[in-house]
Amino acid sequence: MRQNLSSPLQLTKILAVGFALVLATPWAAPATAAAPIAPLASNDFRVVASATDRDAGTFARSSTLIEFSAAARTAVAAETSLTVGGKKFTASKDIAKGVAQWSGANASLQPDDRLALAAFTKDLETKWVKPANLTKAPIPLHRDLTIRLAMLLAEAPVGTRIGTQDVPRPAERYGERPLPDGAEAVESCLKEGAFATEPNSAERSAMVAACQESNEDGILYTGCNVNAWVVHDADSHCFLGEVIYVGPASYDCMGKCGGGCFIITGYTYDCADHDRCGRAHGGSTNPWDSECGDEYWEADDDFLWSSNQCG
């Protein structure tokens, strides 16, 4: 019969062997705790690598971290990436070939992301643009592209899924865009069509679809400190045109591509359309497909290719 319990002598031998093994085994000192990583302060801009043809670093605002990396592929081509709160956005541009592309792999931005991007562009203006202006030196293309992508993303309607966008260099035109024949200071395609069609009719549906005008102008500059005819549509009123004052002397630099009076991009009709839509509908905080999303997409070539004509 098998014994379930060891005899006293066997137990004594087992304990003795175990104690001897403990004494023979070297004692391992506890691992040294890793030094804590200091958190980034708010609006903290840090450069981790910089050269004439590349830059990389971080920017933090509150709990949102932006990581940036940009490099020149050739003298006339560059690429950049911005990781905003873990979401990666990229852009590339080749001036000689006249092509540009930007993408977010279908990621979308939230209000905190957009606020961080707006603060980031202001820091880029201070650290990259103003020093170049003082010496009359051109801004390196990889830095210029980084600034333009940051401004474009800062204007993205909240929740917009950003896929891959090809943005070839558009035609650039100067001069005022004329008002349509007979247009008043404010006109609405929807208002006019409503008088001629029945509610819920096929004619009404066709009218609403027809007046969703894209107004894709390539790059059409507004001029500086002028009255411009700007248009936008939304789910609440369809196509609407208004005369507004645009340029450096206007309120918050209306018509400038990018927030405020940033100095790289130009004053264009597509950016003025987007500015007016944003102000009329609470900024870019509504879903893009019902409010200002089409104006946003129409302005991406203006963001990536326009030049400042008012400074």
Side-chain angles (χ1 to χ4, degrees), residues 196-231:
T197 58
E198 294 294 330
N200 302 317
S201 66
E203 291 80 7
R204 174 70 61 86
S205 297
M207 178 274 301
V208 171
C211 70
Q212 299 287 342
E213 298 187 11
S214 65
N215 297 291
E216 174 58 70
D217 301 303
I219 296 178
L220 176 56
Y221 293 99
T222 62
C224 308
N225 302 324
V226 297
N227 289 316
W229 177 254
V230 302
V231 294

Side-chain angles (χ1 to χ4, degrees), residues 18-143:
F19 184 68
L21 289 173
V22 170
L23 291 177
T25 303
W27 176 74
T32 304
I37 299 174
L40 292 172
S42 185
N43 290 355
D44 185 2
F45 186 101
R46 300 187 184 186
V47 175
V48 298
S50 184
T52 57
D53 63 347
R54 64 189 61 246
D55 287 280
T58 60
F59 176 84
R61 182 190 183 276
S62 186
S63 61
T64 303
L65 176 66
I66 298 174
E67 299 169 272
F68 64 92
S69 178
R73 295 200 304 262
T74 69
V76 293
E79 56 191 10
T80 188
S81 69
L82 296 177
T83 302
V84 185
K87 294 163 282 193
K88 187 175 183 179
F89 302 87
T90 61
S92 61
K93 187 175 182 180
D94 189 317
I95 295 175
K97 295 179 180 179
V99 295
Q101 186 181 85
W102 65 291
S103 179
N106 288 321
S108 60
L109 295 166
Q110 299 305 311
D112 286 349
D113 300 324
R114 294 177 67 252
L115 290 172
L117 284 161
F120 178 51
T121 59
K122 290 182 180 179
D123 255 26
L124 292 179
E125 179 181 17
T126 299
K127 291 177 170 58
W128 287 356
V129 180
K130 289 182 177 179
N133 288 345
L134 289 176
T135 61
K136 306 296 183 183
I139 300 171
L141 181 59
H142 68 283
R143 289 185 172 185

Side-chain angles (χ1 to χ4, degrees), residues 180-184 186-198 204 207-208 211 213 229 237-241:
D181 293 339
E184 301 176 357
V186 175
E187 75 172 14
S188 170
C189 173
L190 182 64
K191 181 178 178 181
E192 294 172 355
F195 287 107
T197 58
E198 294 294 330
R204 174 70 61 86
M207 178 274 301
V208 171
C211 70
E213 298 187 11
W229 177 254
H237 61 67
C238 196
F239 176 54
L240 177 69

